[in-house]
Amino acid sequence: MITVIKNAQVMSPKFLGNKDVLLIDSTIAAIEDNIVIQSDAVAIEVIEATGKILVPGFIDSLVHVTGGGGEGGFTTRTPALNLSDATTAGITTLVAALGTDAVTRSLPDVLAKVKALNEEGLTAYCYTGSYHIPVTTLTGSVTQDIMLVSEMIGVGEVAIADHRSSQPTVNELAKVAAEARVGGMLSGKSGIVSIHCGDGPSQLKLLEQVVAQTDIPITQFYPTHINRNQSLLDAGVGFAKAGGFIDLTTSTTAHALAHGEIKCAQALTYLIKQQVPLSNITFSSDGHASLPDFDQHGRLQQLLVGEEKSLFAEVRDAVLEQNLALADALSVITCNPASVLGLNHKGRIEVGFDADVVLLSGPELEIDSVWAKGQKMVETGNALIKGRFE
Ligand code: ZN
């Protein structure tokens, strides 16, 4: 597979200028002013991209690929992701997780789906573990899972400050984080601990206590849903300024926004104004999760399904509505999650990096074309390659 994308405005996510980008097999092979390749021996696809913006494929650090939910009973279990749900959203790398339900949902099922997505051309990983401590594992140990299963790069999402959590203690959470840390170190992975933050009043205190009382660094934790309400967002400001990573969830509902959730595009602007280091901020879609709305007694009111396309939609809104620089907004779904997750060949347009590329077109920054590991998955917004059962 050889592709030359001609004369695009290349953003690494930093602006590199108008360049030609050469993809050979699954790798970005060259970024030059003018690339001309002639060969009768191999097929070369040349894409004219004048006026289009070429950016890294998006990284979504939390997707419930086998479905999630179930908080309203069995009929509210959400469906599984299809390949094109990710690719048409510009997502070329994702990390899968179990959710609230680790009884009817299982790690073998998540891992099988992750393997299928990799076979279909995406780059997919997963977390071992689950919402509740003791966490569910594949081999009986978080450390072993991360060391021995190539797709498993961390643990989570472990729930804190939530009426659906196992109400974990400092000691319990520290043990899980320690296991993930060691497993990550011994296998050259991040061993990151994905943390689901609920709307409980303890917010991020449990993480702060683990960091204060143990030798585990703050960077081991990756709390998500930080834009759930203003008070949690402010706790996130403190956490990130202390060196921690914070993740905002792009999937939302009108009900959630009306009841205090902060739209990601606005939350990102707020965090930057609060002088939170941009490199410590990421977005994830929480795709295919349930989006339950509870009343003040914890009773389910309605339940929708999270969408992967919300990931870039919020980056686009940050640029078009909040006037953030495109390079800055892009970083929260490209180089920043790559760095947090320890994915060293992802998240940048750079020679030697994986050929995960999105072309954006027009003033509305529409997703035009998508390549995953050098394979064209989307053209003029439509999926060229679909999952087997789509
Ligand atoms: Zn969650």
Side-chain angles (χ1 to χ4, degrees):
M1 271 186 299
I2 297 182
T3 306
V4 188
I5 305 171
K6 301 287 292 178
N7 200 34
Q9 300 169 42
V10 178
M11 306 203 62
S12 74
K14 273 200 213 99
F15 183 58
L16 300 183
N18 280 30
K19 301 278 182 189
D20 291 359
V21 176
L22 172 65
L23 314 180
I24 299 182
D25 294 331
S26 62
T27 304
I28 298 172
I31 306 165
E32 304 283 347
D33 287 342
N34 186 24
I35 297 173
V36 179
I37 295 183
Q38 284 174 331
S39 168
D40 295 330
V42 286
I44 300 167
E45 187 173 15
V46 178
I47 309 287
E48 179 47 61
T50 300
K52 293 179 181 169
I53 304 172
L54 187 152
V55 304
F58 309 145
I59 300 172
D60 194 340
S61 63
L62 186 61
V63 184
H64 298 280
V65 294
T66 57
E71 285 97 331
F74 294 112
T75 59
T76 63
R77 296 167 82 254
T78 60
L81 164 131
N82 283 315
L83 176 68
S84 68
D85 295 329
T87 56
T88 57
I91 294 162
T92 53
T93 302
L94 62 77
V95 189
L98 283 172
T100 315
D101 177 1
V103 174
T104 73
R105 312 282 189 184
S106 71
L107 283 179
D109 193 29
V110 168
L111 184 58
K113 179 71 179 179
V114 161
K115 285 178 183 290
L117 290 168
N118 279 304
E119 286 178 13
E120 289 173 339
L122 218 63
T123 301
Y125 299 98
C126 61
Y127 298 115
T128 183
S130 52
Y131 242 47
H132 302 120
I133 299 178
V135 294
T136 183
T137 66
L138 207 61
T139 65
S141 141
V142 167
T143 306
Q144 279 193 46
D145 281 7
I146 294 173
M147 284 184 69
L148 301 178
V149 183
S150 58
E151 295 88 348
M152 290 183 160
I153 60 170
V155 65
E157 51 177 326
V158 177
I160 65 167
D162 196 296
H163 59 98
R164 291 166 289 176
S165 81
S166 60
Q167 314 304 321
T169 64
V170 172
N171 197 30
E172 283 175 333
L173 188 60
K175 288 255 185 302
V176 171
E179 283 189 51
R181 178 172 176 76
V182 172
M185 289 170 72
L186 293 175
S187 57
K189 298 175 182 173
S190 70
I192 200 83
V193 184
S194 164
I195 297 287
H196 161 103
C197 301
D199 57 6
S202 61
Q203 299 181 325
L204 300 173
K205 291 211 174 62
L206 199 60
L207 305 185
E208 289 156 3
Q209 286 169 328
V210 172
V211 172
Q213 293 173 27
T214 72
D215 298 321
I216 294 166
I218 195 167
T219 48
Q220 203 68 40
F221 294 106
Y222 192 19
T224 187
H225 315 320
I226 292 294
N227 54 320
R228 190 184 284 284
N229 56 56
Q230 184 62 48
S231 168
L232 183 58
L233 188 63
D234 285 327
V237 169
F239 190 80
K241 282 189 171 176
F245 305 121
I246 51 173
D247 183 64
L248 314 181
T249 300
T250 56
S251 288
T252 189
T253 64
H255 179 276
L257 292 172
H259 288 80
E261 188 163 308
I262 323 291
K263 186 173 154 57
C264 269
Q266 290 164 6
L268 179 58
T269 309
Y270 178 78
L271 291 171
I272 290 171
K273 277 204 184 115
Q274 299 297 311
Q275 297 180 318
V276 170
L278 182 63
S279 59
N280 291 38
I281 308 168
T282 68
F283 286 1
S284 64
S285 74
D286 205 11
H288 282 76
S290 65
L291 301 174
D293 291 327
F294 296 104
D295 67 12
Q296 70 266 38
H297 305 295
R299 287 182 301 229
L300 185 75
Q301 298 299 295
Q302 69 158 352
L303 189 141
L304 300 172
V305 179
E307 293 185 317
E308 288 73 22
K309 67 184 180 191
S310 65
L311 187 74
F312 181 65
E314 287 299 322
V315 167
R316 181 195 286 128
D317 287 354
V319 174
L320 300 180
E321 294 174 7
Q322 303 289 321
N323 296 316
L324 280 189
L326 179 58
D328 288 348
L330 279 172
S331 70
V332 304
I333 59 169
T334 58
C335 55
N336 296 358
S339 164
V340 175
L341 298 167
L343 307 178
N344 298 328
H345 293 94
K346 297 287 187 188
R348 289 185 193 277
I349 300 299
E350 199 171 310
V351 172
F353 273 51
D354 286 355
D356 298 336
V357 172
V358 174
L359 268 186
L360 304 173
S361 66
E364 297 298 311
L365 302 176
E366 273 139 30
I367 293 172
D368 181 290
S369 305
V370 179
W371 287 260
K373 289 184 281 195
Q375 186 177 15
K376 196 194 241 181
M377 308 295 271
V378 174
E379 190 175 72
T380 57
N382 298 311
L384 291 178
I385 295 176
K386 292 195 171 179
R388 179 168 293 260
F389 301 111
E390 288 192 63

